[in-house]
PDB file of all heavy atoms in Angstrom:
ATOM      1  N   GLY A  10     -16.895  22.723  -3.042  1.00 98.00           N
ATOM      2  CA  GLY A  10     -16.163  21.876  -3.981  1.00 98.00           C
ATOM      3  C   GLY A  10     -15.707  22.677  -5.188  1.00 98.00           C
ATOM      4  O   GLY A  10     -16.497  23.415  -5.784  1.00 98.00           O
ATOM      5  N   GLY A  12     -14.154  21.451  -8.113  1.00 98.00           N
ATOM      6  CA  GLY A  12     -13.919  20.713  -9.358  1.00 98.00           C
ATOM      7  C   GLY A  12     -14.488  21.495 -10.537  1.00 98.00           C
ATOM      8  O   GLY A  12     -14.927  22.640 -10.380  1.00 98.00           O
ATOM      9  N   PRO A  13     -14.501  20.877 -11.723  1.00 98.00           N
ATOM     10  CA  PRO A  13     -15.015  21.584 -12.905  1.00 98.00           C
ATOM     11  C   PRO A  13     -16.463  22.036 -12.743  1.00 98.00           C
ATOM     12  O   PRO A  13     -16.875  23.043 -13.340  1.00 98.00           O
ATOM     13  CB  PRO A  13     -14.878  20.567 -14.025  1.00 98.00           C
ATOM     14  CG  PRO A  13     -14.556  19.270 -13.393  1.00 98.00           C
ATOM     15  CD  PRO A  13     -13.987  19.537 -12.048  1.00 98.00           C
ATOM     16  N   GLY A  14     -17.250  21.316 -11.934  1.00 98.00           N
ATOM     17  CA  GLY A  14     -18.609  21.769 -11.660  1.00 98.00           C
ATOM     18  C   GLY A  14     -18.577  23.008 -10.796  1.00 98.00           C
ATOM     19  O   GLY A  14     -19.108  24.067 -11.162  1.00 98.00           O
ATOM     20  N   GLU A  33     -13.024  24.686  -0.596  1.00 98.00           N
ATOM     21  CA  GLU A  33     -12.330  23.479  -1.067  1.00 98.00           C
ATOM     22  C   GLU A  33     -11.491  22.901   0.056  1.00 98.00           C
ATOM     23  O   GLU A  33     -10.718  23.600   0.690  1.00 98.00           O
ATOM     24  CB  GLU A  33     -11.458  23.812  -2.289  1.00 98.00           C
ATOM     25  CG  GLU A  33     -10.552  22.692  -2.755  1.00 98.00           C
ATOM     26  CD  GLU A  33     -11.282  21.366  -3.052  1.00 98.00           C
ATOM     27  OE1 GLU A  33     -12.203  21.364  -3.878  1.00 98.00           O
ATOM     28  OE2 GLU A  33     -10.920  20.338  -2.434  1.00 98.00           O
ATOM     29  N   LYS A  34     -11.637  21.581   0.267  1.00 98.00           N
ATOM     30  CA  LYS A  34     -10.914  20.950   1.386  1.00 98.00           C
ATOM     31  C   LYS A  34      -9.446  20.704   1.084  1.00 98.00           C
ATOM     32  O   LYS A  34      -8.632  20.599   1.984  1.00 98.00           O
ATOM     33  CB  LYS A  34     -11.613  19.659   1.805  1.00 98.00           C
ATOM     34  CG  LYS A  34     -11.540  18.534   0.796  1.00 98.00           C
ATOM     35  CD  LYS A  34     -12.299  17.315   1.305  1.00 98.00           C
ATOM     36  CE  LYS A  34     -12.403  16.265   0.218  1.00 98.00           C
ATOM     37  NZ  LYS A  34     -12.027  14.949   0.594  1.00 98.00           N
ATOM     38  N   TYR A  35      -9.103  20.571  -0.212  1.00 98.00           N
ATOM     39  CA  TYR A  35      -7.688  20.363  -0.552  1.00 98.00           C
ATOM     40  C   TYR A  35      -6.994  21.702  -0.768  1.00 98.00           C
ATOM     41  O   TYR A  35      -7.652  22.724  -1.015  1.00 98.00           O
ATOM     42  CB  TYR A  35      -7.561  19.507  -1.814  1.00 98.00           C
ATOM     43  CG  TYR A  35      -7.909  18.052  -1.595  1.00 98.00           C
ATOM     44  CD1 TYR A  35      -8.846  17.407  -2.400  1.00 98.00           C
ATOM     45  CD2 TYR A  35      -7.303  17.308  -0.580  1.00 98.00           C
ATOM     46  CE1 TYR A  35      -9.171  16.069  -2.197  1.00 98.00           C
ATOM     47  CE2 TYR A  35      -7.625  15.975  -0.372  1.00 98.00           C
ATOM     48  CZ  TYR A  35      -8.556  15.360  -1.183  1.00 98.00           C
ATOM     49  OH  TYR A  35      -8.873  14.043  -0.981  1.00 98.00           O
ATOM     50  N   GLY A  40     -10.421  20.161  -8.197  1.00 98.00           N
ATOM     51  CA  GLY A  40     -11.098  18.895  -7.953  1.00 98.00           C
ATOM     52  C   GLY A  40     -10.415  17.685  -8.571  1.00 98.00           C
ATOM     53  O   GLY A  40      -9.229  17.715  -8.904  1.00 98.00           O
ATOM     54  N   THR A  41     -11.197  16.624  -8.714  1.00 98.00           N
ATOM     55  CA  THR A  41     -10.692  15.363  -9.271  1.00 98.00           C
ATOM     56  C   THR A  41     -10.093  15.601 -10.653  1.00 98.00           C
ATOM     57  O   THR A  41      -8.985  15.147 -10.952  1.00 98.00           O
ATOM     58  CB  THR A  41     -11.872  14.367  -9.413  1.00 98.00           C
ATOM     59  OG1 THR A  41     -12.492  14.215  -8.135  1.00 98.00           O
ATOM     60  CG2 THR A  41     -11.406  13.020  -9.926  1.00 98.00           C
ATOM     61  N   CYS A  42     -10.845  16.298 -11.489  1.00 98.00           N
ATOM     62  CA  CYS A  42     -10.466  16.453 -12.893  1.00 98.00           C
ATOM     63  C   CYS A  42      -9.046  17.009 -13.058  1.00 98.00           C
ATOM     64  O   CYS A  42      -8.213  16.434 -13.750  1.00 98.00           O
ATOM     65  CB  CYS A  42     -11.484  17.364 -13.576  1.00 98.00           C
ATOM     66  SG  CYS A  42     -11.072  17.752 -15.269  1.00 98.00           S
ATOM     67  N   GLY A  46      -7.447  13.399 -12.185  1.00 98.00           N
ATOM     68  CA  GLY A  46      -8.378  12.833 -13.162  1.00 98.00           C
ATOM     69  C   GLY A  46      -7.986  13.161 -14.589  1.00 98.00           C
ATOM     70  O   GLY A  46      -6.924  12.761 -15.068  1.00 98.00           O
ATOM     71  N   CYS A  47      -8.855  13.934 -15.243  1.00 98.00           N
ATOM     72  CA  CYS A  47      -8.713  14.219 -16.677  1.00 98.00           C
ATOM     73  C   CYS A  47      -7.311  14.686 -17.060  1.00 98.00           C
ATOM     74  O   CYS A  47      -6.687  14.129 -17.966  1.00 98.00           O
ATOM     75  CB  CYS A  47      -9.682  15.334 -17.099  1.00 98.00           C
ATOM     76  SG  CYS A  47     -11.253  15.377 -16.243  1.00 98.00           S
ATOM     77  N   LYS A  51      -4.385  12.472 -18.988  1.00 98.00           N
ATOM     78  CA  LYS A  51      -4.075  12.806 -20.383  1.00 98.00           C
ATOM     79  C   LYS A  51      -2.593  13.158 -20.548  1.00 98.00           C
ATOM     80  O   LYS A  51      -1.983  12.876 -21.576  1.00 98.00           O
ATOM     81  CB  LYS A  51      -4.951  13.964 -20.879  1.00 98.00           C
ATOM     82  CG  LYS A  51      -6.222  13.488 -21.553  1.00 98.00           C
ATOM     83  CD  LYS A  51      -7.317  13.059 -20.622  1.00 98.00           C
ATOM     84  CE  LYS A  51      -7.633  11.644 -20.486  1.00 98.00           C
ATOM     85  NZ  LYS A  51      -8.682  11.340 -19.528  1.00 98.00           N
ATOM     86  N   PHE A 115     -12.813  22.334   5.036  1.00 98.00           N
ATOM     87  CA  PHE A 115     -13.882  21.363   4.787  1.00 98.00           C
ATOM     88  C   PHE A 115     -15.230  22.015   5.084  1.00 98.00           C
ATOM     89  O   PHE A 115     -15.456  22.521   6.183  1.00 98.00           O
ATOM     90  CB  PHE A 115     -13.655  20.134   5.679  1.00 98.00           C
ATOM     91  CG  PHE A 115     -14.504  18.964   5.300  1.00 98.00           C
ATOM     92  CD1 PHE A 115     -14.012  17.998   4.437  1.00 98.00           C
ATOM     93  CD2 PHE A 115     -15.799  18.835   5.797  1.00 98.00           C
ATOM     94  CE1 PHE A 115     -14.801  16.921   4.060  1.00 98.00           C
ATOM     95  CE2 PHE A 115     -16.597  17.760   5.419  1.00 98.00           C
ATOM     96  CZ  PHE A 115     -16.095  16.803   4.556  1.00 98.00           C
ATOM     97  N   GLY A 116     -16.124  21.994   4.129  1.00 98.00           N
ATOM     98  CA  GLY A 116     -17.431  22.621   4.314  1.00 98.00           C
ATOM     99  C   GLY A 116     -18.470  21.619   4.797  1.00 98.00           C
ATOM    100  O   GLY A 116     -18.499  20.480   4.324  1.00 98.00           O
ATOM    101  N   ALA A 142     -21.103  20.752  -4.889  1.00 99.00           N
ATOM    102  CA  ALA A 142     -20.322  20.260  -6.046  1.00 99.00           C
ATOM    103  C   ALA A 142     -19.170  19.433  -5.503  1.00 99.00           C
ATOM    104  O   ALA A 142     -18.011  19.643  -5.845  1.00 99.00           O
ATOM    105  CB  ALA A 142     -19.818  21.452  -6.869  1.00 99.00           C
ATOM    106  N   THR A 143     -19.528  18.477  -4.622  1.00 98.00           N
ATOM    107  CA  THR A 143     -18.498  17.743  -3.883  1.00 98.00           C
ATOM    108  C   THR A 143     -17.974  16.510  -4.612  1.00 98.00           C
ATOM    109  O   THR A 143     -17.122  15.800  -4.088  1.00 98.00           O
ATOM    110  CB  THR A 143     -19.030  17.355  -2.483  1.00 98.00           C
ATOM    111  OG1 THR A 143     -20.307  16.732  -2.659  1.00 98.00           O
ATOM    112  CG2 THR A 143     -19.190  18.573  -1.595  1.00 98.00           C
ATOM    113  N   GLY A 144     -18.481  16.250  -5.819  1.00 98.00           N
ATOM    114  CA  GLY A 144     -17.857  15.266  -6.690  1.00 98.00           C
ATOM    115  C   GLY A 144     -17.971  13.827  -6.266  1.00 98.00           C
ATOM    116  O   GLY A 144     -18.973  13.392  -5.679  1.00 98.00           O
ATOM    117  N   ARG A 272     -17.082   5.103  -9.813  1.00 98.00           N
ATOM    118  CA  ARG A 272     -16.846   6.059  -8.733  1.00 98.00           C
ATOM    119  C   ARG A 272     -18.143   6.260  -7.959  1.00 98.00           C
ATOM    120  O   ARG A 272     -19.224   6.065  -8.499  1.00 98.00           O
ATOM    121  CB  ARG A 272     -16.333   7.389  -9.320  1.00 98.00           C
ATOM    122  CG  ARG A 272     -14.942   7.227  -9.934  1.00 98.00           C
ATOM    123  CD  ARG A 272     -14.437   8.514 -10.575  1.00 98.00           C
ATOM    124  NE  ARG A 272     -14.303   9.612  -9.643  1.00 98.00           N
ATOM    125  CZ  ARG A 272     -13.231   9.837  -8.881  1.00 98.00           C
ATOM    126  NH1 ARG A 272     -12.188   9.040  -8.943  1.00 98.00           N
ATOM    127  NH2 ARG A 272     -13.191  10.874  -8.063  1.00 98.00           N
ATOM    128  N   GLY A 311     -22.816  17.988 -11.008  1.00 98.00           N
ATOM    129  CA  GLY A 311     -21.615  17.184 -11.264  1.00 98.00           C
ATOM    130  C   GLY A 311     -21.729  15.740 -10.812  1.00 98.00           C
ATOM    131  O   GLY A 311     -22.810  15.147 -10.783  1.00 98.00           O
ATOM    132  N   ASP A 312     -20.595  15.175 -10.428  1.00 98.00           N
ATOM    133  CA  ASP A 312     -20.523  13.743 -10.091  1.00 98.00           C
ATOM    134  C   ASP A 312     -21.379  13.366  -8.891  1.00 98.00           C
ATOM    135  O   ASP A 312     -21.708  12.198  -8.710  1.00 98.00           O
ATOM    136  CB  ASP A 312     -19.072  13.352  -9.755  1.00 98.00           C
ATOM    137  CG  ASP A 312     -18.218  13.155 -10.997  1.00 98.00           C
ATOM    138  OD1 ASP A 312     -18.670  13.508 -12.105  1.00 98.00           O
ATOM    139  OD2 ASP A 312     -17.080  12.657 -10.854  1.00 98.00           O
ATOM    140  N   MET A 318     -20.556  10.750 -15.184  1.00 98.00           N
ATOM    141  CA  MET A 318     -19.532  11.403 -14.365  1.00 98.00           C
ATOM    142  C   MET A 318     -18.472  11.972 -15.303  1.00 98.00           C
ATOM    143  O   MET A 318     -17.440  11.345 -15.552  1.00 98.00           O
ATOM    144  CB  MET A 318     -18.935  10.413 -13.379  1.00 98.00           C
ATOM    145  CG  MET A 318     -19.891  10.063 -12.256  1.00 98.00           C
ATOM    146  SD  MET A 318     -19.118   8.963 -11.080  1.00 98.00           S
ATOM    147  CE  MET A 318     -20.224   9.113  -9.677  1.00 98.00           C
ATOM    148  N   LEU A 319     -18.757  13.147 -15.845  1.00 98.00           N
ATOM    149  CA  LEU A 319     -17.862  13.758 -16.818  1.00 98.00           C
ATOM    150  C   LEU A 319     -17.645  15.220 -16.466  1.00 98.00           C
ATOM    151  O   LEU A 319     -18.580  15.905 -16.029  1.00 98.00           O
ATOM    152  CB  LEU A 319     -18.474  13.680 -18.226  1.00 98.00           C
ATOM    153  CG  LEU A 319     -18.646  12.273 -18.810  1.00 98.00           C
ATOM    154  CD1 LEU A 319     -19.405  12.321 -20.116  1.00 98.00           C
ATOM    155  CD2 LEU A 319     -17.291  11.600 -18.996  1.00 98.00           C
ATOM    156  N   ALA A 320     -16.429  15.695 -16.694  1.00 98.00           N
ATOM    157  CA  ALA A 320     -16.095  17.071 -16.344  1.00 98.00           C
ATOM    158  C   ALA A 320     -16.970  18.071 -17.106  1.00 98.00           C
ATOM    159  O   ALA A 320     -17.468  19.043 -16.525  1.00 98.00           O
ATOM    160  CB  ALA A 320     -14.620  17.320 -16.640  1.00 98.00           C
ATOM    161  N   HIS A 321     -17.174  17.809 -18.408  1.00 98.00           N
ATOM    162  CA  HIS A 321     -17.936  18.796 -19.195  1.00 98.00           C
ATOM    163  C   HIS A 321     -19.421  18.769 -18.839  1.00 98.00           C
ATOM    164  O   HIS A 321     -20.107  19.779 -18.999  1.00 98.00           O
ATOM    165  CB  HIS A 321     -17.696  18.618 -20.705  1.00 98.00           C
ATOM    166  CG  HIS A 321     -17.729  17.202 -21.182  1.00 98.00           C
ATOM    167  ND1 HIS A 321     -16.709  16.333 -20.933  1.00 98.00           N
ATOM    168  CD2 HIS A 321     -18.654  16.500 -21.881  1.00 98.00           C
ATOM    169  CE1 HIS A 321     -17.005  15.147 -21.472  1.00 98.00           C
ATOM    170  NE2 HIS A 321     -18.183  15.230 -22.039  1.00 98.00           N
TER     171      HIS A 321
HETATM  172  P1  FAD B   1     -14.833  16.842  -8.485  1.00 65.92           P
HETATM  173  O1  FAD B   1     -13.952  17.163  -9.611  1.00 65.92           O
HETATM  174  O2  FAD B   1     -14.717  15.505  -7.857  1.00 65.92           O
HETATM  175  O3  FAD B   1     -14.594  17.971  -7.399  1.00 65.92           O
HETATM  176  C1  FAD B   1     -15.178  17.934  -6.144  1.00 65.92           C
HETATM  177  C2  FAD B   1     -14.353  18.772  -5.209  1.00 65.92           C
HETATM  178  O4  FAD B   1     -15.067  18.963  -4.018  1.00 65.92           O
HETATM  179  C3  FAD B   1     -13.028  18.115  -4.808  1.00 65.92           C
HETATM  180  O5  FAD B   1     -11.966  18.999  -5.012  1.00 65.92           O
HETATM  181  C4  FAD B   1     -13.215  17.809  -3.332  1.00 65.92           C
HETATM  182  O6  FAD B   1     -12.014  17.883  -2.592  1.00 65.92           O
HETATM  183  C5  FAD B   1     -14.179  18.896  -2.921  1.00 65.92           C
HETATM  184  N1  FAD B   1     -14.969  18.570  -1.738  1.00 65.92           N
HETATM  185  C6  FAD B   1     -15.708  17.468  -1.505  1.00 65.92           C
HETATM  186  N2  FAD B   1     -16.346  17.564  -0.327  1.00 65.92           N
HETATM  187  C7  FAD B   1     -15.996  18.763   0.211  1.00 65.92           C
HETATM  188  C8  FAD B   1     -16.346  19.440   1.394  1.00 65.92           C
HETATM  189  N3  FAD B   1     -17.222  18.923   2.251  1.00 65.92           N
HETATM  190  N4  FAD B   1     -15.779  20.650   1.631  1.00 65.92           N
HETATM  191  C9  FAD B   1     -14.910  21.192   0.750  1.00 65.92           C
HETATM  192  N5  FAD B   1     -14.563  20.597  -0.396  1.00 65.92           N
HETATM  193  C10 FAD B   1     -15.107  19.406  -0.676  1.00 65.92           C
HETATM  194  N6  FAD B   1     -13.999  13.409 -17.121  1.00 65.92           N
HETATM  195  C11 FAD B   1     -13.986  13.890 -18.379  1.00 65.92           C
HETATM  196  O7  FAD B   1     -14.946  14.542 -18.798  1.00 65.92           O
HETATM  197  N7  FAD B   1     -12.905  13.703 -19.203  1.00 65.92           N
HETATM  198  C12 FAD B   1     -11.831  12.986 -18.815  1.00 65.92           C
HETATM  199  O8  FAD B   1     -10.881  12.828 -19.578  1.00 65.92           O
HETATM  200  C13 FAD B   1     -11.822  12.440 -17.510  1.00 65.92           C
HETATM  201  N8  FAD B   1     -10.775  11.731 -17.071  1.00 65.92           N
HETATM  202  C14 FAD B   1     -10.771  11.242 -15.798  1.00 65.92           C
HETATM  203  C15 FAD B   1      -9.687  10.492 -15.382  1.00 65.92           C
HETATM  204  C16 FAD B   1      -9.655   9.956 -14.108  1.00 65.92           C
HETATM  205  C17 FAD B   1      -8.465   9.146 -13.672  1.00 65.92           C
HETATM  206  C18 FAD B   1     -10.732  10.229 -13.214  1.00 65.92           C
HETATM  207  C19 FAD B   1     -10.698   9.707 -11.805  1.00 65.92           C
HETATM  208  C20 FAD B   1     -11.818  10.966 -13.616  1.00 65.92           C
HETATM  209  C21 FAD B   1     -11.855  11.476 -14.922  1.00 65.92           C
HETATM  210  N9  FAD B   1     -12.946  12.202 -15.396  1.00 65.92           N
HETATM  211  C22 FAD B   1     -12.944  12.680 -16.677  1.00 65.92           C
HETATM  212  C23 FAD B   1     -14.121  12.474 -14.552  1.00 65.92           C
HETATM  213  C24 FAD B   1     -14.037  13.893 -13.993  1.00 65.92           C
HETATM  214  O9  FAD B   1     -12.844  14.041 -13.259  1.00 65.92           O
HETATM  215  C25 FAD B   1     -15.232  14.168 -13.101  1.00 65.92           C
HETATM  216  O10 FAD B   1     -16.419  13.886 -13.808  1.00 65.92           O
HETATM  217  C26 FAD B   1     -15.254  15.614 -12.653  1.00 65.92           C
HETATM  218  O11 FAD B   1     -14.081  15.936 -11.945  1.00 65.92           O
HETATM  219  C27 FAD B   1     -16.471  15.894 -11.779  1.00 65.92           C
HETATM  220  O12 FAD B   1     -16.442  17.221 -11.380  1.00 65.92           O
HETATM  221  P2  FAD B   1     -17.155  17.714 -10.041  1.00 65.92           P
HETATM  222  O13 FAD B   1     -16.937  19.183 -10.006  1.00 65.92           O
HETATM  223  O14 FAD B   1     -18.524  17.188  -9.981  1.00 65.92           O
HETATM  224  O15 FAD B   1     -16.374  17.008  -8.859  1.00 65.92           O
END
Side-chain angles (χ1 to χ4, degrees):
E33 172 55 57
K34 69 181 172 130
Y35 288 127
T41 304
C42 175
C47 326
K51 268 79 253 178
F115 193 94
T143 50
R272 293 178 61 85
D312 281 11
M318 288 183 164
L319 295 173
H321 44 286

